[in-house]
Amino acid sequence: MLYPAGMAGIIILCVLLALLGALRAFPTPQPLDFGIAIDSPNLWNFTPLWGEILNVAGLGLCAIVLFFINKNFSLIKTGQPLGASFFLPLCFSNLIVGGHWSATPVVTLIVLLIYACLFNSYKTRNATRSMFFVATCLSVGSMFEYSFIPIGLAAFAASFLMEAMRPKEFLAMGLGLIAPYWVAIGFGLVNPLELRLPHPVTIFAGNLTPEIFLTLTVAGIMALCAVILSLYNGLILYAGNTRVRRSLLVMNTFGVISAICMLLDVYNAHAYLGVCNIWVAMQLANLFALRDLRRGGLLFWLLQLVIFSLSMIYMLAA
């Protein structure tokens, strides 16, 4: 289905879409600074060229990390990079995200590291270091992107799903949340008087730009498909390996919370989009791995065509 030319073709198409998005210079609303302590990645001072190079490299690195997480924890019963082959098109078909540097690759990469740590802590007797690492990632991430606050709620719930939360782990998680701010303030890197509180704008506020409305509409359709696929695939996963089932439930938890946050924080929706795309990608990949689909190869490329065609909607709306 993918090797060797298939995956290479997907990568080439994603890079071309990224270049197309960069050339079209899609506007992105930035009414607020989305960092609690420091500037959000979308405000980092990169030239458009370097910003797009870093964006392509960052999302590509996320796809590679997703592939190795799946390979290490056997989340999808196949040796092919099905998850990555859906994740990349989902990200780059959104030309607003794929066409310029934003918080998406940074947030997504940190969440993938949290996934790996949570999956590795399944039923371990002592998961204090894992919980400290997860909390430290959340705390450091919240300094430049407050989307890690609701993501932290997902991580807290996921620790119970992986049976890794006990009194010692709870204490380690608390220390991990406090330590980065304590160090940053103690060394004078952050002024406590300049800490900013988030001011999210919900979808009910109105006055949404066409770009944001289009992104939310596409993400909503994808999230609905992911919910349906999660229930459909869950019928088989329920009788399978408990660790794999709970690991995928962790991804579902992060994905659902990210999809909800996109509605409650519309002007920062791109920060949650990568996490939501991982959820959709893994469920689509499991559809092919768990089910003996007739003409599965044809269906795979048909879905890829549908995903890639989403970029045309952004071009027409620009």
Side-chain angles (χ1 to χ4, degrees), residues 111-167:
V111 169
L112 284 168
L113 296 177
I114 292 174
Y115 281 161
C117 196
L118 287 171
F119 298 161
N120 194 53
S121 64
Y122 177 65
K123 283 189 175 182
T124 56
R125 294 183 178 181
N126 188 350
T128 53
R129 285 184 296 180
S130 297
M131 292 301 102
F132 182 83
F133 176 79
V134 168
T136 301
C137 288
L138 294 170
S139 183
V140 172
S142 69
M143 289 184 179
F144 60 80
E145 183 54 66
Y146 72 74
S147 62
F148 280 100
I149 296 175
I151 289 175
L153 298 177
F156 186 73
S159 64
F160 287 97
L161 283 173
M162 302 307 292
E163 299 185 24
M165 183 58 72
R166 289 172 290 271

Side-chain angles (χ1 to χ4, degrees), residues 20-28 94-96 209-212 214-215 310-318:
L20 179 62
L23 291 174
R24 292 300 297 266
F26 285 88
T28 53
N94 184 332
L95 297 183
I96 298 174
T209 64
E211 294 81 12
I212 288 293
L214 182 58
T215 297
L310 294 176
S311 59
M312 301 300 297
I313 303 176
Y314 286 90
M315 290 182 62
L316 293 175

